[in-house]
Amino acid sequence: MAVRAFAVLALAAILVSTPTAAEEMKTCGSASYFPLEYTCYNNSALCPISFTRPSVSCGAAGCYAPEQFSCEDGTTLKTLPDATSPFTLTAFGNRPGFGNMTVKACGNYLAIGANARECAACSSSAAARPGVSIRCSEYGNRTVLLPGGQMAVDVPGHQYWYVNPRDGVLQFTEALPSNSSLNATSPGTEFAGQNVKVYENGFFMYDRDNLPHFWLACLRTLPGGAIGTGRTWRIYAPISMNIGRGDCEQIKLVATATDRKRGAYRYD
């Protein structure tokens, strides 16, 4: 596992990292390296940086992504546990200014970018059940997801996140009628959480047919916005129809455990 993990990390660094001409090389033992491409550990081990996320040295086990593995006793790699906590998502890319971007939910899509909106909503007149009032002050305005496909919402009928099998875009559903079942009325609920692997405080990965574990952030110009203004980036799985798109950037998505109540009562 250690050798394969290192090989994948190294290949990713080669494919997506480009040294800056003005960047000064440093030494790590007898080796030279660019600090934007590698991290030096104990002046002896060089580990690649991929999507601005440093890999870490685990002695004889080699380099590993801490968003997917842990290092046991400095010799063995262990896969992180599956996520059980509510989580937010953060996107990391290689393009300048394209890292550490919060994933936001609005208009049935999950997106990133300066113009991506977070459409958290609540009405104190709404009721989870007859006779129960809602305290909107108890909710936050962050996009919070649950492992398995649900959004962290309390609206009757729930809401679900899913990868649209038609074009691979990462979406969420509207709230279902309170008497609906998961596979009933809302498009997408039957795909909730499918083909996505989420590690506790680790990667949120598209995990199907041995496809690469990065996602694609694809440019969308909002109505009325010229190029350079009013833009957001929708998130797509790396299925064949998306890989060759020229308007997309490769990103990694990282889940961070959080309090469920940081999320909204519902998302519009």
Side-chain angles (χ1 to χ4, degrees):
M1 178 188 295
V3 174
R4 186 176 71 172
F6 177 80
V8 171
L9 285 166
L11 177 60
I14 293 170
L15 289 176
V16 300
S17 297
T18 302
T20 303
E23 185 185 7
E24 182 179 349
M25 295 189 72
K26 294 187 176 183
T27 58
C28 184
S30 59
S32 298
Y33 71 99
F34 287 106
L36 290 180
E37 292 185 338
Y38 293 90
T39 302
C40 177
Y41 294 95
N42 299 320
N43 200 35
S44 59
L46 277 176
C47 290
I49 296 172
S50 177
F51 294 84
T52 70
R53 306 291 289 180
S55 56
V56 182
S57 175
C58 186
C63 300
Y64 69 99
E67 301 88 356
Q68 189 172 359
F69 302 98
S70 61
C71 179
E72 303 292 321
D73 301 321
T75 60
T76 306
L77 293 181
K78 183 178 180 180
T79 303
L80 294 181
D82 292 344
T84 59
S85 305
F87 59 90
T88 57
L89 284 177
T90 307
F92 295 87
N94 290 290
R95 132 189 196 136
F98 207 80
N100 197 27
M101 303 180 78
T102 301
V103 175
K104 300 177 180 181
C106 188
N108 299 121
Y109 291 95
L110 295 172
I112 57 176
N115 292 288
R117 295 181 296 161
E118 205 138 33
C119 296
C122 183
S123 171
S124 58
S125 63
R129 58 185 183 274
V132 177
S133 61
I134 300 300
R135 295 183 179 180
C136 292
S137 60
E138 295 180 352
Y139 296 91
N141 59 2
R142 297 288 302 276
T143 295
V144 180
L145 311 182
L146 300 178
Q150 283 196 28
M151 309 287 283
V153 297
D154 287 338
V155 63
H158 306 292
Q159 291 178 274
Y160 299 86
W161 57 264
Y162 67 102
V163 176
N164 191 316
R166 178 177 55 83
D167 58 3
V169 68
L170 187 60
Q171 295 189 252
F172 68 95
T173 68
E174 297 179 358
L176 298 174
S178 57
N179 61 351
S180 297
S181 64
L182 177 61
N183 296 316
T185 60
S186 182
T189 53
E190 67 268 33
F191 304 109
Q194 289 188 14
N195 305 320
V196 176
K197 179 79 170 178
V198 191
Y199 294 109
E200 188 77 9
N201 288 312
F203 283 136
F204 178 94
M205 304 190 310
Y206 189 71
D207 189 29
R208 182 183 179 188
D209 299 334
N210 295 317
L211 289 172
H213 288 158
F214 59 76
W215 296 79
L216 295 168
C218 299
L219 183 63
R220 177 176 173 79
T221 301
L222 302 178
I227 295 297
T229 63
R231 297 189 298 171
T232 187
W233 302 77
R234 287 182 181 172
I235 300 171
Y236 289 78
I239 60 178
S240 58
M241 66 184 299
N242 296 327
I243 290 293
R245 290 180 57 169
D247 59 344
C248 301
E249 299 281 346
Q250 294 180 13
I251 59 172
K252 292 270 189 175
L253 295 178
V254 178
T256 302
T258 190
D259 183 348
R260 178 189 176 114
K261 286 295 186 180
R262 293 189 71 192
Y265 175 72
R266 74 171 189 273
Y267 299 97
D268 288 344

